[in-house]
Amino acid sequence: MNQPFGVPVLWFSETSSLGKVTIRRGRAPDAAAIARVYVDSWRSAYKGLIPQTYLNSLSYDAFERHWRRTFASRAWAFVAEYDGQIVGIASGGRCRKIGIASGELFILYVLNEYHGNGIGRALFDACQYELTKRGHPDILVWVLEENPARGFYERLGGELVYHNQIDIGGKPMREAGYLWRD
């Protein structure tokens, strides 16, 4: 494992059209950049799907505090770096719905301008490895049914196995649950 600047690096891509992209573990000092990726990804990916008032209410400061608490609680995440900037994030853990799967991919976001460069796949692979290492070989991910990213999870081999109803910003929405079995 490479360790430039003392940070363990999981993956380098020299073949990406971008050049070198690094996947590494996120840390508390990354919280502001992670919050930016999270909020900006929601605002671009869900524009027109989720009420705009909800998207406008998303706060960089609130999500930075959330990620600082997340890292303080010893939870984990992976980040994708390109040219010294965090452009993607992913995190997972024990599945929140008992009996469906042992592990869950909670989030996977890549800034829109970096889509199509293998970053999402690399983040997914890092999370899948980490979850398996932690004893969670079966992985579930929830995706809004109207989200075009569903195709991404289908191309990765996720099996559509569940549907769920949620409320975001006062709007009822359906989620699709994709499962990867050991």
Side-chain angles (χ1 to χ4, degrees):
M1 190 178 302
N2 296 311
Q3 291 194 5
F5 312 110
V7 178
V9 172
L10 301 174
W11 178 80
F12 282 114
S13 172
E14 297 290 352
T15 59
S16 167
S17 62
L18 296 172
K20 186 167 74 173
V21 176
T22 304
I23 304 297
R24 65 168 175 81
R25 289 192 178 279
R27 311 176 322 275
D30 299 323
I34 290 171
R36 183 186 58 79
V37 170
Y38 188 94
V39 169
D40 290 353
S41 293
W42 265 70
R43 287 180 177 161
S44 66
Y46 301 132
K47 186 175 184 155
L49 298 178
I50 292 176
Q52 192 61 43
T53 54
Y54 181 84
L55 295 175
N56 292 344
S57 75
L58 298 176
S59 159
Y60 295 120
D61 290 339
F63 279 100
E64 179 179 353
R65 285 190 302 276
H66 164 79
W67 281 101
R68 287 193 184 283
R69 285 190 308 272
T70 296
F71 290 123
S73 73
R74 301 181 53 97
W76 54 270
F78 291 102
V79 298
E81 275 187 334
Y82 171 69
D83 200 23
Q85 176 185 344
I86 292 175
V87 299
I89 58 172
S91 182
R94 179 174 296 196
C95 188
R96 294 172 285 189
K97 293 206 177 218
I98 297 173
I100 294 178
S102 59
E104 183 174 344
L105 180 65
F106 299 143
I107 63 164
L108 194 162
Y109 295 110
V110 175
L111 292 174
N112 194 48
E113 58 268 31
Y114 296 96
H115 286 187
N117 289 292
I119 295 170
R121 173 63 192 246
L123 287 166
F124 178 87
D125 289 347
C127 285
Q128 186 175 42
Y129 174 80
E130 184 70 20
L131 287 165
T132 300
K133 185 175 92 173
R134 291 172 180 253
H136 306 298
D138 299 326
I139 300 168
L140 178 72
V141 65
W142 291 104
V143 184
L144 290 178
E145 282 192 348
E146 296 180 50
N147 186 341
R150 285 182 64 182
F152 169 78
Y153 294 108
E154 290 166 0
R155 287 188 299 279
L156 290 179
E159 175 187 357
L160 178 60
V161 292
Y162 298 101
H163 292 278
N164 192 32
Q165 186 79 24
I166 61 169
D167 181 278
I168 300 176
K171 179 180 178 182
M173 306 193 77
R174 286 182 46 89
E175 291 180 305
Y178 288 92
L179 181 65
W180 288 261
R181 301 177 200 269
D182 180 28

